[in-house]
Amino acid sequence: MTTAEFGTHNWGMVVDIDKCIGCNACVIACQAENNIPINTQDRVERARSISWIRVERYWEGDFPDAKARFIPIMCQHCENAPCEPVCPVYATYHNSEGMNIQVYNRCVGTRYCANGCPYIVRFFNYWEPVWPESLRNHLNPDVTVRSRGIMEKCSFCVHRIRHESRKARSEGHEILDGAVQTACSSACPTSALNFGNFNDPNSKVSKMRGDKRHYTLLDQFGTDPNVIYLAKIDADKKVGAGEAATHG
Amino acid sequence: MKLNRREFLALTGKTAAGAVIFAACGLPERELIVQSPVDLPEDLVRGEDAWYATSMGDFSNGDGVLVRVMQGRAKKIEGNPDHPVNRGKASARYDSVLQLLYHPDRISEPMVRYSKSGNLVAANWDQASTRFKEALSKADGALTIVTNPIRGHLGAVATNFAAQYNGKHMAFDPVEQGVLHGAVKSVLGQDQLPTFDISNAQTVLSFGADWLGTWGSPTQFGVKYGEFREQQDRGYLIHAEPRMSITAAAADLWLAPIPGTEGDLALGIASVIIENGMVSPQNVAAFEAAVPGGVSSYQLAEVASRTGISADRIEKAATHFAEHTPSVAFGGGSAGAHTNGSFNLGAIYALNVLVGAVDAKGGVTSNPGSAFDDVPASATGASFEAWEAELAEWRAGNVETVIIRGADIVHGMPNSVKIREALEHVPNVIAFGAIHDDTMDFADLVLPEQTFLEAWGTEIPEPGPGYQVVGTQQPVVGPTITRDESGLISDARGFGDTLLSMSDGSYGSSMERLVKDALSDLHDTGRGSVSASSSSLFINGTLQRGGWWDISTSGSSNVGKVNVKERNASYSDTGSLGTGDDFHLVPFHSNSLFDGRLAATPWAQQTPDPISSVSWSTWAEINSIQADELGINEGDVLRIRSTSGEIEALAYPHPGVRPGVIGIPMGQGHHKSGRYAEDRGSNVFSILADEKDSETGALAWAATRVRVQRAGRRVKVPKFEGNVVARPVEPGVPVLVVGISETAEEAQEANHHLYQKQFLGEGKESGSDE
């Protein structure tokens, strides 16, 4: 469970793995929204690709009982984030709205944060991002293009939050539940990804995290993430049966 | 710069050091955001954006989208929340279209080839128009327009243009849906593809169709799948397909039949249901009336043997389907791509009759016809048989001019039809497109075409949501000027507008006029989702909303009969293909490249395949145990030979493939398609054998058998799997799985105990040194 109680907002995400079909709509939506460099074949082969959200696939069992399990993983925006205290230049810090913020123009590229992150969701720019001139037309002007030598990661689409927050302020009301959607949650066809305010007890995500299937990734590390997962349901699994080790 | 003590203290209060000092006081980051020099674009949004509603054109089956435009540039494509088909949601293919719009290799100007052996040379639109008119001047009675299956007014323009020259309009779809349309028509009596009420079904039984990934209307189905799982009593999904697709992976029960036996499986399920009295006698009577010969020859043991699926799995599927209702059954994709495809799909759709799902809540419901008299609500590719006949006409010199748009026929047709040779015999080949494709190598005139983000049109989604829908397509950006201001990225024109400018004007003067006139006609009906006092207000309202729909309309079904002419599948021969091991080839749509229409874009290329996680290449999926037996390892280059030719692909063994089956994605192997796709991977279409569905003459694209041999090379597979070390919730358990009534905590505890038992071994005590 998250511990951030201060402030009006505590932004977070609830990922219902039972609805995730692994389609990667979230991955491309994030790529487009956040000006993530093209993951060329060379970068993929060298394990240097950047993907703020990824869908991991695990195999369970063998034919004909084989099952593929999907889980989308992005920055968990931990309340006790291991990446924050190790940054020597305060390029990553926790804000009062439950988000782990990366300040690009402070980052000096020590990569300590990436070493500290157990979720492996921080990415280092080994190269200057390059797009052919005409493709630069689709870059999102709301999001910084990160240069070589610095870290980047999921921002919970903070620019969308800022936009909605200004809009709500100018219209004289609070941000309505559902008004802010990250690029990934907006794209997700099955609504496996849900974004909202945990500090609003009536928000969709607050209700969802009360589900009996809720858990957090690597709970044993005590990172207290703001991303809550709802476990995959297997209709044939018996209560208390446990799962054997998987491969893939 | 000199600082006194007071200034120094004031400054530290606004810096990161200050942030640490104030950390205990709350809200320090507001200080940082406002006062420190760390303002990022994320903090300061400059400029206004506009969101325009339009339709996804050729890249979905009628999804409505919103396009974010800033300073005249399209930035993002998202689902239109108002649109009844995809209801605000997206697929992995939406944003890639932006990269077609701004592709660095986009065709910038018309090109003319003055002799068949010459090169394409740049021309202006005046020269191109002259060449176009010359080609048309001799084309009366000898004109063929080839497009992808296009619905809406663009399709009607192409058909009318062809009619004006006494020619024909033929649609090409490398994975044609003629068998599906035929089965729906013969069994359910529906002219359009029906709606599957997945949201309200308790059991979904699907065959061959990867409906959550690439088949039909995946975004629409994805939204419904979310609702299906969210029901009080969680829906149960059974999916039959020889390889694990996205849909098979989502299924509660995956059945992997021998390819071509899907109809047997469907009737085997029916047989179990009938024998055990799981449905009413009336339903049984209706079903038996629809299935000539009944199910007497589909006894469980026999079907298990024929399909390669164990009897208990078939029984389990039958029990769920009959007893957890409402249920719906549907199929398509590889299940219909056999010589007995019509029988397979007919038997599958007839299951709806058995459980009373036709026109029922949670079942299969029909869609009404088009809202326009002159625009059909359905479109499908011409059959392979029809294409063979047409290409014979080309070869015989009976066709003077061929106009091609949205169909890369050189890439999409099997080697066996010798499409290149046929094109060489056509005096005038005119090709439209945004990126140079393989077919344009044979074109005498290449015309740069606008993408759907720049052109006017309408779209009739198929399958629709159960009522009439007209999606609107409008230009959301104008022509884009190059950065050095030397010209336009592409001096493109719309396909429809170009045809209309070359026509006698009887059908319309421009696509914009056609769309607005059509909307004006809708206004005159006085019905539907948009009401306005004048036609112009109605048009604006419809364009703003992305379309018009009338929920009071509906279609109707008329149950007919399953086509049982050919019940058994036959496959291509491998006898003469040299050494190697025989496999059954099951091609499948790439989740991001689709059939290759998005291969030119780097986002589509880089998107990991959901199952294999491979990108940028062509891989071959084979069963991991069989691969071990054959000594095939991941990354081995495999030579895959059929009677139509040979390709190479990288081996990717995994447990989600039926032994004896090799799955290869479509979409790669273009010789031309821009810098990101050119000469990358292999084209699986090229090696398809010319087997056909016995009823419709459609290409049986899953009926090819191949001989597989290692090429003796091994390369690194470009895949995302393994790029990140798995960090399991419990050792060995990366994804937490619970039973229906189990809590996450209970599951974690059980996993923990199981792990301890496995790790420590039975009978050993915790703390042992062993």
Side-chain angles (χ1 to χ4, degrees), chain B residues 26-244:
Chain B
L27 307 185
E29 53 285 336
R30 289 224 177 275
E31 304 294 321
L32 291 170
I33 289 167
V34 175
Q35 296 179 29
S36 78
V38 293
D39 282 343
L40 304 174
E42 288 83 343
D43 300 314
L44 290 172
V45 180
R46 298 175 179 87
E48 286 293 318
D49 53 7
W51 291 82
Y52 292 104
T54 190
S55 297
M56 269 298 278
D58 302 329
F59 300 95
S60 78
N61 278 16
D63 293 358
V65 293
L66 297 179
V67 184
R68 184 185 188 216
V69 177
M70 282 188 89
Q71 297 174 323
R73 307 287 190 270
K75 301 293 183 185
K76 187 83 176 64
I77 301 178
E78 300 206 343
N80 176 357
D82 268 355
H83 201 280
V85 171
N86 54 317
R87 292 187 269 164
K89 295 302 186 177
S91 83
R93 296 177 286 278
Y94 279 19
D95 284 311
S96 294
V97 179
L98 292 174
Q99 297 193 319
L100 283 185
L101 178 66
Y102 297 124
H103 200 285
D105 301 321
R106 200 167 159 190
I107 300 170
S108 58
E109 58 202 341
M111 287 180 285
V112 179
R113 194 190 311 272
Y114 290 99
S115 72
K116 284 287 180 191
S117 55
N119 293 325
L120 284 169
V121 294
N124 59 37
W125 271 100
D126 286 340
Q127 293 165 318
S129 297
T130 305
R131 181 76 183 79
F132 202 140
K133 283 174 185 159
E134 278 171 20
L136 290 174
S137 65
K138 305 169 205 159
D140 193 39
L143 170 74
T144 302
I145 299 184
V146 181
T147 67
N148 54 324
I150 33 178
R151 295 175 299 274
H153 280 84
L154 191 60
V157 166
T159 304
N160 278 282
F161 187 84
Q164 192 184 315
Y165 287 89
N166 298 309
K168 60 182 97 145
H169 173 203
M170 289 185 75
F172 174 71
D173 182 356
V175 185
E176 59 186 272
Q177 306 293 324
V179 179
L180 172 65
H181 283 261
V184 165
K185 176 73 180 164
S186 62
V187 178
L188 301 175
Q190 297 172 11
D191 293 319
Q192 290 77 229
L193 295 185
T195 295
F196 312 114
D197 191 6
I198 297 163
S199 311
N200 293 304
Q202 274 298 295
T203 306
V204 172
L205 173 57
S206 49
F207 297 75
D210 182 15
W211 51 275
L212 285 172
T214 53
W215 183 83
S217 184
T219 316
Q220 174 189 173
F221 298 151
V223 175
K224 290 178 171 177
Y225 174 80
E227 292 166 343
F228 169 75
R229 291 302 201 195
E230 220 170 56
Q231 294 174 101
Q232 186 76 26
D233 196 1
R234 177 179 177 271
Y236 192 87
L237 171 60
I238 306 161
H239 184 71
E241 200 177 351
R243 69 167 280 276
M244 189 169 278

Side-chain angles (χ1 to χ4, degrees), chain A residues 60-71:
Chain A
E60 197 181 301
D62 280 313
F63 184 86
D65 299 312
K67 288 176 177 171
R69 309 282 197 205
F70 298 108
I71 182 168

